[in-house]
Amino acid sequence: GRYPNGMPTVQFEVEGHSEIYDPRDSTYKYTDNAALVIANYLSTTKKWGLGADYSTKINAANLIEAANICDETVAVAAGGTEKRYTINTTILDTETPIDVLQQFRKAIGGHIVYQSGQWFIYPAKWRAPSITLTESDVLSEIRVTTRQSRANLFNAVKGSFIDAGKDFTVTDYPAVKNATYAAEDGRESSI
């Protein structure tokens, strides 16, 4: 036959969608920037997109902030750096939009939100609070309770955290008990 040693192995290097709009420099180009990929999906009118009007349904200021967050470089445990959030995937025409958006949301560790008639993309990153509360924000009088019922008292504290050293599993902190308070309470504990 045509292939005496068997069928050759065929490999492809795929670069993906090459016409993704970047509002930061008003260009269309290939990018794996997660925020820009998400905005492209939201606005694409082809079979697999949502068809949102890019100029009115995707919040431009939010998209620019999100794209900048995704492009930040972060250190990796193995050494070196990489971009904070990228999306490199294939979307099948059998996937529903909610499934695709859930995958994208997981890729940015944050949220993709439709509010007030526009899409907002919030990649996970600490953001400084943007509001200061004052006395004028209090809706009613302030009440102080000075004595708690015995059922509401405690003399020990416990908690849990997500441990990166154990594959991000929920792990309990050791309970912290105050022996003096426990003795005063007759050795009762709410843990």
Side-chain angles (χ1 to χ4, degrees), residues 49-94:
L50 292 182
D53 185 290
Y54 202 99
S55 62
T56 61
K57 296 295 183 184
I58 297 176
N59 187 282
N62 165 264
L63 178 57
I64 290 170
E65 176 191 25
N68 287 338
I69 290 170
C70 292
D71 274 346
E72 291 174 355
T73 55
V74 293
V76 292
T81 61
E82 66 185 18
K83 290 181 183 179
R84 185 178 296 275
Y85 300 113
T86 62
I87 292 179
N88 298 284
T89 190
T90 302
I91 299 171
L92 303 175
D93 63 359
T94 57

Side-chain angles (χ1 to χ4, degrees), residues 155-159 172-178 189 191:
N155 54 38
V157 178
K158 68 178 182 176
D172 290 330
Y173 284 107
V176 177
K177 298 179 181 180
N178 186 306
S189 176
I191 292 184

Side-chain angles (χ1 to χ4, degrees), residues 1-145:
R2 183 166 256 173
Y3 303 104
N5 297 327
M7 280 295 280
T9 302
V10 179
Q11 296 179 348
F12 296 92
E13 184 173 326
V14 179
E15 190 176 78
H17 198 282
S18 62
E19 296 294 318
I20 295 179
Y21 180 68
D22 188 338
R24 298 173 296 178
D25 61 8
S26 300
T27 61
Y28 289 87
K29 59 188 171 201
Y30 166 78
T31 182
D32 60 0
N33 179 294
L36 299 178
V37 169
I38 293 167
N40 183 69
Y41 176 76
L42 293 171
S43 64
T44 297
T45 56
K46 294 180 181 175
K47 180 179 179 181
W48 51 268
L50 292 182
D53 185 290
Y54 202 99
S55 62
T56 61
K57 296 295 183 184
I58 297 176
N59 187 282
N62 165 264
L63 178 57
I64 290 170
E65 176 191 25
N68 287 338
I69 290 170
C70 292
D71 274 346
E72 291 174 355
T73 55
V74 293
V76 292
T81 61
E82 66 185 18
K83 290 181 183 179
R84 185 178 296 275
Y85 300 113
T86 62
I87 292 179
N88 298 284
T89 190
T90 302
I91 299 171
L92 303 175
D93 63 359
T94 57
E95 294 179 279
T96 65
I98 193 70
D99 292 336
V100 173
L101 290 177
Q102 285 292 353
Q103 290 176 35
F104 288 170
R105 183 191 63 76
K106 289 176 185 176
I108 62 172
H111 301 285
I112 303 167
V113 181
Y114 187 75
Q115 65 188 39
S116 303
Q118 289 189 316
W119 286 98
F120 291 80
I121 302 165
Y122 297 105
K125 181 179 179 182
W126 183 85
R127 291 167 176 85
S130 60
I131 188 171
T132 302
L133 299 175
T134 66
E135 286 183 30
S136 64
D137 296 306
V138 177
L139 299 177
S140 65
E141 64 186 42
I142 297 174
R143 287 184 254 152
V144 177
T145 305

